[in-house]
Amino acid sequence: MNRFAAALLIVVVGAATAVAVWAGANVAIAAPAAGAAVFAAGLLFLVTVVDRPRAAARAPVREAPRDEYLFRFGFRSGRLGREEILATLDRIERSGPNPDLPGRTSREVASVVGLPRPEFRDYVRRRLDDLEARS
């Protein structure tokens, strides 16, 4: 349920309760107003408390794919972007198939980062394919 519908139910509960109180001993007015207030309050309770867990299970919240954006902008960011892509690939590999992956020396980083653009893209593609195959 959206916020507007919830606010509308709250207004209905308040207005029906006010009418029931204002009617006092006049049962012909107070009883239907009180019934409407109880019905609207019950409906509000059901959709906010009972339906919430089911709605959360239907639509899981997905975090923004940080690495996807990192790769996209890393290719456009020159040397620093390439270094970040390389570090991210190493981090992914350490958290997955190869937790004992040693750190890279500055010479290794420079050799990979210094590759021409097509070769660097091929390196990243091969690395991702390898990570996917081993996970």
Side-chain angles (χ1 to χ4, degrees), residues 48-109:
T48 57
V49 175
V50 175
D51 193 41
R52 241 343 118 127
R54 281 190 275 148
R58 283 186 300 235
V61 176
R62 200 179 99 155
E63 292 185 20
R66 179 194 170 302
D67 293 337
E68 177 183 321
Y69 296 117
L70 182 137
F71 280 102
R72 178 178 294 158
F73 294 113
F75 283 113
R76 298 179 188 159
S77 300
R79 181 175 178 81
L80 290 177
R82 287 181 174 198
E83 287 178 5
E84 188 64 33
I85 289 171
L86 186 60
T88 301
L89 288 170
D90 288 347
R91 179 180 51 79
I92 292 170
E93 186 166 351
R94 281 187 194 98
S95 68
N98 189 6
D100 299 326
L101 181 72
R104 294 187 182 274
T105 66
S106 59
R107 181 171 286 170
E108 289 173 326
V109 172

Side-chain angles (χ1 to χ4, degrees), residues 19-39:
V19 168
V21 170
W22 171 79
N26 189 349
V27 177
I29 295 174
V38 169
F39 177 76

